[in-house]
Amino acid sequence: MTTRRTLIRATALGALAAPVVGRAGFAQPRKVTLQLNWFPSGDHSALFLARSRGWYAEAGIDLAIQRGQGSADTVQRVEIGQAEFGQADTPTIITGVGRGASLQVIGIVLDKAGNNAFFRKDSGIAKPADLAGKKVALPPGDSHRVLWPAFARANGLNPEAITMVNVRPEGKQAAVATGQTEVSFDQYTGYPLWEKTLGKGNVGNLLWADYGLQLYGFAYFAKPEFLAANGALARGFLAATYRGWAAAQADPRAAVEALANDVGAGIDRTALLEAMPYVMDLAITERARANGIGWIDEALMAKTIEITLTAQTLPNTPTAAAIGTNAFNPKVMPAA
């Protein structure tokens, strides 16, 4: 069993090894796939910025960035070997491991989870208790369904107090705008898109992390077997990635342009740029400033596991030390 002491020792070794990153040791750039959780958006822009500036190539990596179909699908694809790395919602990764998948989180994307309720500002909703009796627009596979019972109980609500209405992911805003539902649960980083639909000044929201549900959001992960055989590559991947995050924090417009220029059609540059402050609010926290971007705090990972288990029974209960490792974290510090 992995102990806290083992985790700390691995972290220290990873930190010492982190500077040894570059083309040395790679005859040719290694083709590697990163499977996203969804269509490229603000929380992916740092990846495109790092790739456009050649930082993955410097680490000996030829990185392919693949759009996703939801965190659950991303977990499955990494588990069966269709991608070396993935970005997915941490509770979904935990759920996969609890059901037998062999996966490990190697770095955090959103240090503060962006789970959130959106509604019209004039709806009368001002606190979690006001959600009782409301209809909520949610896609069937949305991770908010898994976390809602924990959020409800943390705020003295019966999880059955709301009615969940199935919608397509792109139909959340329209459901509230047309009055089909009063509320939708959606990522906080989507605030500008909600303003685009409901109008500036007309959007109300409740960020769950501000009301008792503190847990990890998106994370980077891989199979432990792959990591054991490719430690230098994993360190190089994270070093380039978090270098991209620091650069995106310093110059959000450059990150958005890198993503838009790469992806092309369907990218709303203005909306993405407006979303970047919300993305950075969740990614660059005091933990990131103290330990480096993406650092895994074992206590918060344990809390994330605890919250994930409140809504479901899993065959196995993973430990925080087994789920996450800092062994490959390069300790890239945020911009000042």
Side-chain angles (χ1 to χ4, degrees):
M1 179 180 293
T2 304
T3 64
R4 179 178 177 84
R5 181 173 296 175
T6 303
L7 178 66
I8 293 171
R9 186 185 306 118
T11 298
L13 290 173
L16 288 171
V20 187
V21 173
R23 287 188 180 276
F26 296 95
Q28 293 181 340
R30 168 89 173 269
K31 289 188 179 297
V32 171
T33 297
L34 167 64
Q35 180 74 37
L36 302 183
N37 55 297
W38 201 245
F39 189 78
S41 59
D43 55 283
H44 307 123
S45 63
L47 300 162
F48 290 91
L49 182 59
R51 189 168 69 173
S52 73
R53 294 187 174 177
W55 295 336
Y56 291 110
E58 288 179 13
I61 297 171
D62 179 5
L63 184 69
I65 302 174
Q66 182 113 341
R67 72 153 290 175
Q69 300 292 332
S71 287
D73 183 68
T74 298
V75 164
Q76 182 179 16
R77 288 179 184 275
V78 174
E79 167 64 10
I80 64 177
Q82 290 185 355
E84 286 80 7
F85 298 105
Q87 174 175 327
D89 181 58
T90 302
T92 304
I93 301 169
I94 292 167
T95 298
V97 173
R99 290 175 176 165
S102 179
L103 303 168
Q104 190 168 41
V105 172
I106 58 172
I108 299 302
V109 179
L110 299 184
D111 193 65
K112 183 178 179 181
N115 301 93
N116 183 81
F118 281 114
F119 41 83
R120 288 186 176 277
K121 185 169 283 188
D122 61 5
S123 66
I125 299 172
K127 56 187 182 300
D130 298 331
L131 297 172
K134 301 295 191 293
K135 290 186 290 184
V136 179
L138 270 178
D142 196 293
S143 63
H144 285 85
R145 289 178 180 266
V146 175
L147 295 174
W148 162 252
F151 178 71
R153 294 188 184 103
N155 290 279
L157 284 167
N158 185 328
E160 304 298 321
I162 63 171
T163 300
M164 296 186 184
V165 178
N166 288 340
V167 297
R168 294 175 62 85
E170 62 270 23
K172 291 181 177 182
Q173 292 89 352
V176 175
T178 61
Q180 180 186 355
T181 68
E182 298 95 337
V183 181
S184 179
F185 296 158
D186 196 12
Q187 289 292 319
Y188 174 68
T189 52
Y191 201 107
L193 294 176
W194 280 87
E195 285 195 321
K196 189 174 180 180
T197 302
L198 300 184
K200 287 190 179 294
N202 296 329
V203 179
N205 81 292
L206 296 173
L207 182 61
W208 292 11
D210 292 337
Y211 293 91
L213 199 75
Q214 300 208 7
L215 72 164
Y216 278 127
F218 296 129
Y220 301 120
F221 68 103
K223 292 178 69 65
E225 298 87 350
F226 171 81
L227 295 170
N230 298 277
L233 186 145
R235 283 189 290 274
F237 167 75
L238 283 185
T241 297
Y242 289 137
R243 189 178 175 186
W245 272 99
Q249 178 197 4
D251 190 352
R253 186 178 296 276
V256 168
E257 288 301 312
L259 184 154
N261 291 339
D262 192 296
V263 177
I267 296 297
D268 186 333
R269 295 173 192 244
T270 300
L272 276 178
L273 187 58
E274 290 176 347
M276 290 301 286
Y278 299 92
V279 172
M280 292 300 166
D281 182 45
L282 300 178
I284 308 300
T285 64
E286 289 307 309
R287 273 185 296 272
R289 295 187 185 283
N291 302 300
I293 305 171
W295 190 261
I296 302 167
D297 179 83
E298 191 170 339
L300 184 55
M301 184 61 78
K303 183 65 175 177
T304 303
I305 294 170
E306 178 187 332
I307 290 172
T308 301
L309 293 174
T310 62
Q312 58 189 323
T313 300
L314 298 174
N316 306 296
T317 302
T319 65
I323 283 286
T325 177
N326 287 313
F328 308 100
N329 190 291
K331 299 202 75 169
V332 175
M333 305 308 290

